[in-house]
Amino acid sequence: MDTQSLQAFVAVADTQSFSRAAEQLHLTQPAVSKRIATLESQVGTRLFDRIGRRIALTEAGNVLLPQAQRILFSVEDSRRALANLSGQVGGKLTLATSHHIGLHRLPPLLKQYTQRHPEVELDLHFLDSEQAYQGVLDGTLEMAVVTLAPHPHEQLQVIELWRDRLCFTCAIDHPLASHAKPQAHTHIHTHQEALSLSALCHFNCVMPGAKTFTGSLIAQRFTEAGLKLPVSMTTNYLETLKMMCSVGLGWSLLPEKMVDSELVELNVDTAPIHRPLGYLVHTNRTLSNAARRMIEQLEAARENKEAQ
C-alpha cells in the first residue's frame, strides 16, 4: 500500500469527488482513478460506491479512512522530523487565522516573519476559529492563531496570547446611544443609569453565529441571567458585524479596538466579557522549524506587550 494511493483515497473521501480530489492533488482525474483502482485491488474490495454523480464510502472505505489518515500523518511527521535536523528554516508553513486576528493582530508579525525567513512558503488560510481547530486536529493545518475554544482539547496544545474585551456598542444615533459611557476625548458626560441586560433585550441585536466560540461566550452571559438574546441578524465576520451595527441594524458586542467614531460604547450593568485569542498546535505532531520560529515570534510579541 503506497502513500500516493492513500493520499488519493483520503482526498476523494474528503471532497466526495474525483475531479475535486484531482485538483487538490494537482493530478489528472484518470491518475486519481488509477490510484484508487490500485488501492482497491490491494485491499481486495471496493472503497467507494459511485451512485450517479455522488461518491460515497463503502463500509470498507469507512474502516480504512481513519487508518489512512493516521499513516499519512505519521509519514508527514517523519519527513518534518528529518527536515528539522538540518536546522534550516524553510519549506511550507500551513497556518490558519480568523479574519479578525488576520486583520488586526497578525500583519506586523507576519511582515517581520517573512522578512526574517524568506525561504518559508507561508500557506495562509482565513477560517472560522472552529474550522481551524478541526484542521489542526486532522493534520491539514500545522498551526492556527484564532479565538480559543471555551474548553480544552486533550489532543491540542493551546496557548493564550491576547485577551479581547468585548464592548456593548451601538450606532451614535441608536435609541440606546443615550446610555453611552462618557468618552474622555469628547468631553461628553452622561448621567444616565447603567443599562441592565434585560433592558438591552428590548432592542434587536446583531451577533456572531451562535455556534462560534465568540457567539456562544456572549449567549452564555444572557442565558445565565435567564434571558434570550433578541438576535435579528448574524454573521461570523466581525467587520461585517461592525458595519451592521454602525448603520443602526441593532446593538452588538465588538472587540474594544473596533469601536470607533461611528459607534458608542454602552454602559451596561454586567461584568466585562473577555474572549481569549492565541495559537494551537497538535500535541502529537513534530513541528517544522518554520512553525517553531513562528511560535517564538508570537511568544516574543506577547512578552513585549506585557512589558509595556
Side-chain angles (χ1 to χ4, degrees), residues 11 33 60 65 71 75-76 104 110 133 137 155 168 184 208 215 229 241 244 256 269 276 286 290 295-296 298-299:
S33 299
L65 184 59
I71 291 164
V75 169
E76 191 57 37
H104 295 274
L110 291 178
Y133 260 72
L137 273 171
Q155 287 182 282
F168 289 89
L229 275 168
L241 207 57
M244 286 156 62
E256 198 169 2
D269 185 16
T286 302
I295 287 169
E296 282 170 18
L298 288 166
E299 296 280 2

Side-chain angles (χ1 to χ4, degrees), residues 36-236:
I36 299 298
T38 303
L39 190 58
E40 287 180 331
S41 68
Q42 284 172 340
V43 296
T45 184
R46 288 178 74 85
L47 298 170
F48 294 103
D49 284 326
R50 296 151 181 86
I51 308 154
R53 290 190 172 191
R54 255 188 82 247
I55 306 282
L57 283 167
T58 61
E59 193 177 348
N62 275 312
V63 170
L64 180 61
L65 184 59
Q67 306 288 351
Q69 287 168 327
R70 214 164 297 141
I71 291 164
L72 292 172
F73 192 95
S74 299
V75 169
E76 191 57 37
D77 212 51
S78 305
R79 275 205 196 108
R80 252 193 311 274
L82 292 168
N84 283 353
L85 294 175
S86 69
Q88 189 186 349
V89 183
K92 184 189 278 192
L93 172 58
T94 309
L95 168 76
T97 186
S98 64
H99 286 82
H100 179 73
I101 294 173
L103 287 170
H104 295 274
R105 302 268 186 181
L106 280 191
L109 279 161
L110 291 178
K111 185 176 182 182
Q112 192 179 48
Y113 183 86
T114 51
Q115 285 171 345
R116 283 182 183 173
H117 308 293
E119 301 81 20
V120 176
E121 182 195 340
L122 203 56
D123 182 19
L124 191 61
H125 297 250
F126 285 91
L127 297 173
D128 288 348
S129 301
E130 303 71 31
Q131 287 176 292
Y133 260 72
Q134 193 51 51
V136 174
L137 273 171
D138 63 29
T140 54
L141 298 169
E142 188 167 6
M143 62 181 295
V145 186
V146 289
T147 305
L148 303 181
H151 307 293
H153 196 291
E154 59 181 22
Q155 287 182 282
L156 296 175
Q157 182 191 357
V158 178
I159 306 293
E160 184 181 318
L161 295 172
W162 311 287
R163 284 184 94 73
D164 257 354
R165 182 173 74 86
L166 296 176
C167 299
F168 289 89
T169 186
C170 69
I172 50 177
D173 55 356
H174 189 278
L176 286 170
S178 59
H179 293 273
K181 278 189 174 179
Q183 304 293 316
H185 64 277
T186 61
H187 308 293
I188 295 170
H189 295 279
T190 175
H191 301 286
Q192 291 278 355
E193 279 183 31
L195 279 161
S196 65
L197 290 179
S198 60
L200 265 182
C201 288
H202 290 126
F203 297 85
N204 280 345
C205 61
V206 289
M207 285 288 156
K211 289 183 180 173
T212 64
F213 297 149
T214 305
S216 58
L217 181 72
I218 294 166
Q220 186 186 347
R221 176 62 58 93
F222 284 80
T223 304
E224 283 167 359
L227 299 166
K228 190 177 185 316
L229 275 168
V231 181
S232 61
M233 298 172 102
T234 63
T235 175
N236 294 358

